[in-house]
């Protein structure tokens, strides 16, 4: 019986098993939390690396990671609405620099905005804008 070999690459949209991946994590209240990233178009993606060298070249030596299978990473990300998996991304944007002034120390009175609290207080102030 003749068996042909398939030499074509799979379609880019078809998930291909990636094996064990090194997944970037950050500390959380109960242990490690997987980090999710943004694609250049703004979509959320889970990220995994095939080697430690690729992970450190992209995210730096101080990036913590755990080893997960591709299916485990997908199972972790899917309930959070993250359906894309990027393996071995080449570039990452540098972390945003912290500004001296943040929203925590912004005072609404300095912009002539009345200070209100609670959901019932903000709804009446939105009516002139909506209607």
């Amino acid at each position: 019986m003749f068996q042909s070999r398939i030499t074509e690459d799979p379609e880019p949209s078809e998930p291909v098993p990636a094996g064990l991946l090194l997944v970037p994590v950050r500390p959380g209240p109960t242990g490690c939390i997987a980090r999710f990233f943004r694609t250049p178009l703004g979509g959320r993606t889970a990220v995994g690396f095939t080697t430690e060298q690729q992970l450190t070249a992209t995210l730096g030596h101080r990036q913590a990671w755990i080893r997960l299978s591709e299916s485990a990473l997908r199972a972790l990300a899917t309930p959070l609405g993250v359906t894309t998996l990027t393996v071995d991304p080449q570039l990452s944007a540098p972390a945003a620099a912290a500004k001296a002034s943040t929203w925590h120390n912004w005072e609404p009175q300095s912009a002539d905005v009345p200070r209100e609290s609670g959901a019932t207080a903000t709804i009446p102030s939105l009516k002139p804008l909506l209607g």
Side-chain angles (χ1 to χ4, degrees), residues 46-62:
V47 172
F49 293 88
T50 54
T51 66
E52 189 174 352
Q53 291 79 15
Q54 289 175 322
L55 183 137
T56 57
T58 304
L59 298 176
H61 293 287
R62 298 184 64 170

Side-chain angles (χ1 to χ4, degrees), residues 37-112:
F37 295 85
R38 296 267 178 197
T39 65
L41 297 176
R44 293 175 68 200
T45 183
V47 172
F49 293 88
T50 54
T51 66
E52 189 174 352
Q53 291 79 15
Q54 289 175 322
L55 183 137
T56 57
T58 304
L59 298 176
H61 293 287
R62 298 184 64 170
Q63 176 61 57
W65 55 270
I66 59 171
R67 191 175 302 268
L68 287 176
S69 69
E70 180 225 347
S71 59
L73 180 55
R74 286 188 187 276
L76 181 70
T78 301
L80 301 173
V82 180
T83 57
T84 305
L85 172 61
T86 304
V87 177
D88 290 331
Q90 299 299 311
L91 301 172
S92 68
K99 294 183 179 180
S101 175
T102 62
W103 68 273
H104 293 289
N105 59 12
W106 180 73
E107 287 295 324
Q109 285 80 10
S110 64
D112 294 329

